[in-house]
Amino acid sequence: FNPADARKASGVNHEGAVFEGVIAGLGALGSCLAELWCRSGWGQWTYVDDDILFPHNLVRHTARDWQIGWPKVDAVARMANLTWPTCTKPKAVAAKATNLKNVQVQNAISDAQLLIDATTTLEVPRDLSDLDTSPRMTSAFFTPSGRDSVLLMEDSSRKVRLHSIEAQYYR
């Protein structure tokens, strides 16, 4: 069983399913998205987050208790590696997604066709969507009440940027 088999079993069309992507924010939501997409063989991912795993994170995070104290990107990448040990490994960058002075962050963003913002910050969608060098961006988050989830996505030509879509949503 390999990623191509997983795509078939998941109903994911192979065409367009193999691409470079970035998931910024590997908390509760980002770790779940990373695991689901890894298991379904969709995308080749770089994980970017500067946070470490704390005991209280285990309530909703995909990591395990033996990973407490690890950078979240390393914990999520390790779980992906356990799922598909023979496949290309996701890259883990322990840094802020907006730290464009970091060469690893620069390379991840410049190599990507899609950037998923699953952070809990306002800076990622606002700062990165302004850049012409950023790939198509998506923002996924839960509302403060936790009762709703939101997915905002730029059009494929990036004519309407994520920061504008976010402003429309809040309006």
Side-chain angles (χ1 to χ4, degrees), residues 66-77:
W66 51 269
Q67 295 173 308
I68 291 171
W70 287 29
K72 287 180 180 177
V73 292
D74 292 339
V76 175

Side-chain angles (χ1 to χ4, degrees), residues 39-58:
R39 288 179 178 276
S40 64
W42 187 69
Q44 179 59 49
W45 297 98
T46 298
Y47 305 145
V48 181
D49 194 316
D50 68 334
D51 200 7
I52 63 169
L53 190 70
F54 289 99
H56 71 273
N57 296 133
L58 296 180

